[in-house]
Amino acid sequence: QSEVLASGFDQLYGVAVAPGGTVIFAELGRGRVLSVASGKVEELATGLRQPVGVASSTSGTCFISESGAGRVVKPTRGGVDTVLDGLQHPQGILVRGDLLYIVDAGAQELIECDTINRTRRTIASDLPVGAPPGVVPKFIGAIGDMSGPMGPFAGITAGPDGTLYLSADAEGSILALRP
């Protein structure tokens, strides 16, 4: 069974559920992140450069990976606040407590960022994510009745035991990283 919560968007990527059930999603095509709750769509951030990943903390803070800007941001009343920059092509993101995990497909790394101290560390490198060196990925629009973007994306999620799961788009595998 399915239900359309909202429609008419351009190149949707990441999706997350905030506390209370609000759905947050990245619209790469228009450079924005939106939320939908009870049929009402709201813009959380606009003017973004290739937003692809979204995550929500237990307190409801929204985090956005801006692949085209090489950073992770969070929406504020006046725009966005940079949480972490200096990334190559951040894609999938995940929040666990005060820690934010970012798959940097350009650097082929998994980065852990302490959202309180804004410190970072690489916890895995040489990952099979992103395009091979020298290859520029091509994004394909909708074809026939196939809608949505068709481009590379390396996602991340976590299991209850702390295991991190990555979709390794460069080789078509799923990786499990255990503490």
Side-chain angles (χ1 to χ4, degrees), residues 98-120:
D98 293 332
L99 299 176
L100 177 65
Y101 295 94
I102 306 107
V103 179
D104 188 341
Q108 298 179 315
E109 296 177 337
L110 177 60
I111 308 295
E112 178 186 81
C113 173
D114 182 317
T115 59
I116 304 299
N117 302 322
R118 304 245 175 140
T119 56
R120 70 182 268 173

Side-chain angles (χ1 to χ4, degrees), residues 149-162:
M150 289 182 253
F153 184 78
I156 183 171
T157 193
D161 66 350

Side-chain angles (χ1 to χ4, degrees), residues 1-5:
Q1 181 177 354
S2 66
E3 173 188 354
V4 175
L5 301 178

Side-chain angles (χ1 to χ4, degrees), residues 63 72-74 81-85 100 113-115 118:
F63 295 92
V72 174
V73 298
K74 62 182 180 179
D81 179 28
T82 300
V83 175
L84 184 66
D85 61 6
L100 177 65
C113 173
D114 182 317
T115 59
R118 304 245 175 140

Side-chain angles (χ1 to χ4, degrees), residues 28-100:
L28 178 118
R30 293 189 181 121
R32 60 187 185 161
V33 168
L34 304 106
S35 68
V36 61
S38 302
K40 181 181 175 192
V41 176
E42 180 183 339
E43 286 185 332
L44 300 179
T46 61
L48 302 172
R49 292 181 48 212
Q50 298 177 354
V52 292
V54 293
S56 179
S57 71
T58 55
S59 66
T61 301
C62 174
F63 295 92
I64 305 161
S65 64
E66 259 188 295
S67 190
R71 66 183 186 163
V72 174
V73 298
K74 62 182 180 179
T76 63
R77 291 187 192 263
V80 294
D81 179 28
T82 300
V83 175
L84 184 66
D85 61 6
L87 303 167
Q88 289 184 31
H89 294 289
Q91 292 184 354
I93 57 176
L94 168 73
V95 180
R96 303 266 310 180
D98 293 332
L99 299 176
L100 177 65

